[in-house]
């Protein structure tokens, strides 16, 4: 059994969840507490760079975050997937647990928000490296209909 750590950091209206270590049944109660502690209306960035292994407990955690994002109409951005967790998520998609095909409007709206979250995360990492201030301003572009290109 390896060590496991998780942190939650607020960045620009999003909760950045960073996981380190194996995500397996030994940490299930920690993951449940983590989900319960997330701000209700915050988008979530799940940084999994430090996770080299996850079992179905990890898959369930990601699916729980996805369901939370659907219910609260907030974004979920999963970053830093290493080969084994990425393969497990891929296989889950193959059996229908994850559906990578969304309706066009839902995908476009989610993509815009995820792009903003990715930009914030990158800026925060750069700020930490240089000590610079983070610009949290965000101007949402007006929604476009499918037939507008």
């Amino acid at each position: 059994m390896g060590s496991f750590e998780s942190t939650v950091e607020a960045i620009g209206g999003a909760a950045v969840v960073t996981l380190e270590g194996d995500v397996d049944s030994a940490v299930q109660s920690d993951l449940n507490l983590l989900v319960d502690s997330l701000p209700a209306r915050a988008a979530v960035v799940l940084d999994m760079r430090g996770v080299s292994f996850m079992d179905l407990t990890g898959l369930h955690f990601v699916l729980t975050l996805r369901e939370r994002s659907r219910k609260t109409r907030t974004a979920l951005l999963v970053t830093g997937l290493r080969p084994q967790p990425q393969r497990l998520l891929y296989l889950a998609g193959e059996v229908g647990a994850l559906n990578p095909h969304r309706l066009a409007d839902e995908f476009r709206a989610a993509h815009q928000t995820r792009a903003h979250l990715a930009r914030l995360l990158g800026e925060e990492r750069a700020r930490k490296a240089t000590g610079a201030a983070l610009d949290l301003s965000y101007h949402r572009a007006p929604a476009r209909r499918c037939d507008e290109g």
Side-chain angles (χ1 to χ4, degrees):
M1 179 170 89
S3 66
F4 174 79
E5 289 184 34
S6 65
T7 60
V8 179
E9 183 179 8
I11 299 176
V16 179
V17 177
T18 303
L19 303 181
E20 297 281 339
D22 292 348
V23 179
D24 55 23
S25 60
V27 301
Q28 185 167 3
S29 60
D30 294 332
L31 297 175
N32 292 340
L33 288 172
L34 194 152
V35 170
D36 292 342
S37 72
L38 293 173
R41 300 294 301 166
V44 173
V45 177
L46 178 58
D47 183 352
M48 296 187 61
R49 288 177 295 161
V51 177
S52 59
F53 172 81
M54 74 178 199
D55 65 8
L56 293 179
T57 302
L59 175 61
H60 182 262
F61 176 67
V62 172
L63 293 175
T64 299
L65 290 177
R66 184 189 68 169
E67 184 61 25
R68 176 195 172 277
S69 75
R70 285 184 177 170
K71 286 181 179 177
T72 61
R73 302 181 141 232
T74 57
L76 170 63
L77 173 68
V78 180
T79 67
L81 283 170
R82 294 173 71 182
Q84 190 276 332
Q86 185 174 25
R87 178 81 175 139
L88 182 58
L89 290 172
Y90 171 79
L91 292 172
E94 289 295 299
V95 297
L98 292 172
N99 183 358
H101 306 291
R102 296 183 185 184
L103 297 173
D105 287 339
E106 179 185 349
F107 177 79
R108 283 189 183 101
H111 176 73
Q112 180 183 31
T113 305
R114 284 193 306 268
H116 171 67
L117 291 174
R119 180 184 67 82
L120 282 177
L121 184 61
E123 288 176 4
E124 176 64 7
R125 288 181 180 150
R127 182 192 65 75
K128 284 182 178 178
T130 64
L134 175 64
D135 176 13
L136 298 178
S137 62
Y138 174 53
H139 304 286
R140 175 173 265 163
R144 293 176 19 185
R145 295 180 3 182
C146 288
D147 58 352
E148 292 180 328

